[in-house]
Amino acid sequence: MGPTRIAALLLLAAVALATVATAGWRPPKLETCELHPVIEELMLNETKVWGDKGITEDVVDSLHNQCPPTEVRTHACVKSQRFLIKNGTVYVTNLMPKNGFGAIELIGFLVELYEASQVYQLPDVEFSYWHDDNAPAETVKKADGTWTWPFAPHGLPPILAWAKAQMHGALLVPYSGAFRCPRDSFDAILTEVQRFSDTPWERRSSVRPRGEGLAWVRQGVQQEVQQELAFGRWNIFCAWYYRGAQRLEDGTAAPCPRDYYNDLYYNHSDKIMTLGLLRNYTNGTVALPLSLHEQHKYKYLVSTDGWAISSKFDKYLLLGSLLFKAEGQTYGWYYPAIKPFEHYVPIMKKHKDDLLDMLEWAKSHDMEAQRIAQNAQGFAMRNLNRPMRLCYIARLIQEIAKNMKYKPDCSKRPVCVPLVEEIKFLGKYEETRHRCRYQEVLTQYAHDDPDALPGDSGFEELKKKHEAMPLHIMFGGRR
């Protein structure tokens, strides 16, 4: 064998060894990151809720040991997924019944939390995630300074929620399900921002088919009318604060925007297209769903809350249209960082018909309206993307950990399943396997995660445990 051939074989061997050595290589986990300063300020202020007393073990135990497993919508522990993090591994410390974990409100957060644990070094901590609309009522502070938490020692456990009002002591996290799970998720729409630019500002909502309804488009009607319309489409249901708690500047109670704007359309169909799903246009056709991927074609979009914050509002920010946002009392993790007339135009604020006034203002201040729309799009792209959400979750967990007065350990919990196994289960279980993009994290991290069992070897055992859980009804949110 000649020296040239020997050298070639040695080179091939070196490449093979290098490939083996680096096949499982991962970048080191990050320790910290930077957030938008207003978002960070909100997070730091919220995590001061425990003061010098901190988070004690008996308070966290009350989430596990005293929660009645079959009560519905009564206690904050019923609809909460509990977590324990130890040595960087995230564990779920309770299993939802098989009819309780199918909503993306829970699934999305599970997936996003797991990804955060693979990107960041997370400290030892315990907390709970409330996956229903709004934060639980038990996180409201009473006049005497104690919490409404019903279980001894009646302190506030660390509970995370994706929407809340100021009275709640829960900690805000991203509405991860809407950000990453559906076909029209924030992450999916983010990839289309370039396409949205194909409909420039001056051409948005400049024309519509005569007859108004989308059905006319599908029937091939070509007649068009020059108009700039404020578009809104939603299921009609109303947040609790529209029953008198939400007041307008003129002193009256705010009506439910989704209901009121639907009725307002019939008197102002030349200006607005704000209908509930399956309600009739003035020509008798039916208001059908319009994909968020296509709503950027309207220059003006109307956003309203449902039971809690709207899952569409985050996505609307990306579209490059001007947002008219109805005022409400609940908010999400980044809301304090967006400002009226800087990122959106507030409505249902001065009086119940101020949408019409603000629409006229926008038409007469077109350059200013475009600037606000661009600000919103730029804010969303910079601060609501997935790396920033993971950063926020990691930073929040780090701040919670600073308040911990005990050391969490799986030996103290009857259930302690690695989160990676729970996500693998959800990705295979028939009722949940299409609910989110599990493979975005499983393919990237799970195959060489030391906490994961080989393949699907843990599926049947987890299935038995989930199906053995008490079957109380779990209400998923609808926005």
Side-chain angles (χ1 to χ4, degrees), residues 255-420:
C256 171
R258 293 189 174 189
D259 201 10
Y260 186 78
Y261 289 152
N262 179 85
D263 294 342
L264 190 67
Y265 154 77
Y266 294 107
N267 293 323
H268 299 278
S269 60
D270 59 329
K271 298 179 180 179
I272 59 177
M273 291 178 67
T274 50
L275 277 85
L277 285 170
L278 304 183
R279 300 298 176 96
N280 287 335
Y281 284 96
T282 54
N283 70 345
T285 60
V286 174
L288 300 174
L290 179 63
S291 168
L292 284 169
H293 299 273
E294 298 301 319
Q295 291 191 29
H296 71 282
K297 294 178 181 178
Y298 287 93
K299 182 179 286 189
Y300 310 120
L301 294 173
V302 180
S303 177
T304 58
D305 288 344
W307 298 130
I309 61 174
S310 170
S311 63
K312 294 191 295 187
F313 181 68
D314 323 303
K315 308 166 191 180
Y316 277 157
L317 291 170
L318 284 174
L319 301 187
S321 299
L322 180 66
L323 301 185
F324 295 92
K325 182 183 185 301
E327 295 286 272
Q329 294 189 19
T330 54
Y331 57 99
W333 61 289
Y334 66 87
Y335 279 35
I338 56 174
K339 306 299 180 184
F341 294 105
E342 183 176 340
H343 301 98
Y344 66 94
V345 174
I347 54 174
M348 198 61 75
K349 179 176 173 63
K350 295 181 178 181
H351 55 84
K352 62 183 181 180
D353 293 333
D354 61 4
L355 167 60
L356 301 175
D357 297 340
M358 292 297 97
L359 182 58
E360 291 305 311
W361 173 87
K363 291 179 179 180
S364 62
H365 295 77
D366 191 62
M367 291 183 63
E368 181 68 7
Q370 183 180 13
R371 183 189 66 82
I372 295 171
Q374 291 171 339
N375 287 344
Q377 190 177 52
F379 174 88
M381 293 182 71
R382 287 191 298 268
N383 299 292
L384 307 185
N385 58 65
R386 186 177 299 178
M388 294 306 296
R389 300 196 308 269
L390 300 181
C391 171
Y392 179 90
I393 291 171
R395 289 287 305 280
L396 177 62
I397 291 173
Q398 290 167 358
E399 292 301 318
I400 295 174
K402 293 177 182 178
N403 291 276
M404 297 289 291
K405 298 299 183 181
Y406 71 100
K407 293 184 178 181
D409 194 274
C410 275
S411 63
K412 301 175 181 179
R413 302 294 171 225
V415 174
C416 214
V417 175
L419 178 55
V420 62

Side-chain angles (χ1 to χ4, degrees), residues 86-101:
K86 185 74 171 181
N87 298 328
T89 299
V90 182
Y91 300 90
V92 293
T93 54
N94 69 308
L95 296 177
M96 293 292 171
K98 66 178 182 179
N99 67 332
F101 54 60

Side-chain angles (χ1 to χ4, degrees), residues 423-440:
I423 294 174
K424 286 167 59 180
F425 168 77
L426 292 170
K428 185 178 179 182
Y429 191 63
E430 181 60 32
E431 296 178 18
T432 58
R433 64 190 183 93
H434 297 301
R435 299 290 176 86
C436 201
R437 295 177 173 88
Y438 305 100
Q439 292 306 317
E440 287 181 347

Side-chain angles (χ1 to χ4, degrees), residues 9 13 34 40 66 111 118 121 147 150 187 189 232 250 276 280 309 342 372 388 407 425 430 438 451:
L9 290 173
E34 293 188 9
E40 180 173 31
Q66 303 181 50
V111 174
Q118 300 301 300
Q121 184 60 52
W147 298 92
D187 291 349
I189 291 176
D250 66 2
N280 287 335
I309 61 174
E342 183 176 340
I372 295 171
M388 294 306 296
K407 293 184 178 181
F425 168 77
E430 181 60 32
Y438 305 100
D451 298 307

